[in-house]
Amino acid sequence: MKVLILSENTVGTDLYSGNTYRNIGATDVARRLDSRGIENTLIDWFSHWPKDLLQDSIITYLKDSNEPVIAISTPFSNHVTYSIENVLLQVKQELPHVKILLGGNRY
């Protein structure tokens, strides 16, 4: 199993304003996976990545896994997930056995 955690921590649309922070929930998930010996990596601020780079990075990281997982953490609203919907659909075509999980919503 390999887990790629996509974490969006921005409040608003400006990555460089004072409204950014590292998502403690996503970091805790990574720590718990580490403690169980599950390979994982964390991509912060995924909605600000170029879509083609994000898609290529996800596929490259997960392509050799028998149990690939994408875990998406959006602590304020899951609306940013829609911004990468096409990326996730393309990844699903390349890696049909990938599991995609969404969590972190605080409401």
Side-chain angles (χ1 to χ4, degrees):
M1 175 184 286
K2 266 183 153 174
V3 180
L4 184 133
I5 303 166
L6 297 175
S7 177
E8 183 56 56
N9 315 336
T10 307
V11 179
T13 58
D14 183 7
L15 182 61
Y16 302 104
S17 72
N19 293 329
T20 59
Y21 63 95
R22 295 190 67 94
N23 184 334
I24 194 165
T27 304
D28 189 53
V29 168
R31 181 188 61 78
R32 290 171 187 248
L33 291 168
D34 285 339
S35 73
R36 290 166 175 78
I38 298 171
E39 188 175 346
N40 69 89
T41 194
L42 176 62
I43 295 177
D44 283 320
W45 301 291
F46 67 82
S47 72
H48 297 275
W49 281 48
K51 304 296 185 262
D52 57 340
L53 178 60
L54 182 61
Q55 180 179 322
D56 291 346
S57 298
I58 293 169
I59 291 169
T60 299
Y61 183 74
L62 294 175
K63 68 182 175 186
D64 297 326
S65 176
N66 292 333
E67 295 181 69
V69 175
I70 300 170
I72 304 169
S73 179
T74 57
F76 294 106
S77 170
N78 63 11
H79 76 279
V80 294
T81 307
Y82 295 109
S83 71
I84 62 162
E85 181 178 11
N86 289 334
V87 169
L88 297 173
L89 290 170
Q90 290 298 316
V91 169
K92 192 72 172 167
Q93 279 191 315
E94 283 281 324
L95 307 170
H97 54 292
V98 70
K99 294 178 184 169
I100 301 173
L101 312 172
L102 176 62
N105 220 340
R106 291 188 184 168
Y107 350 166

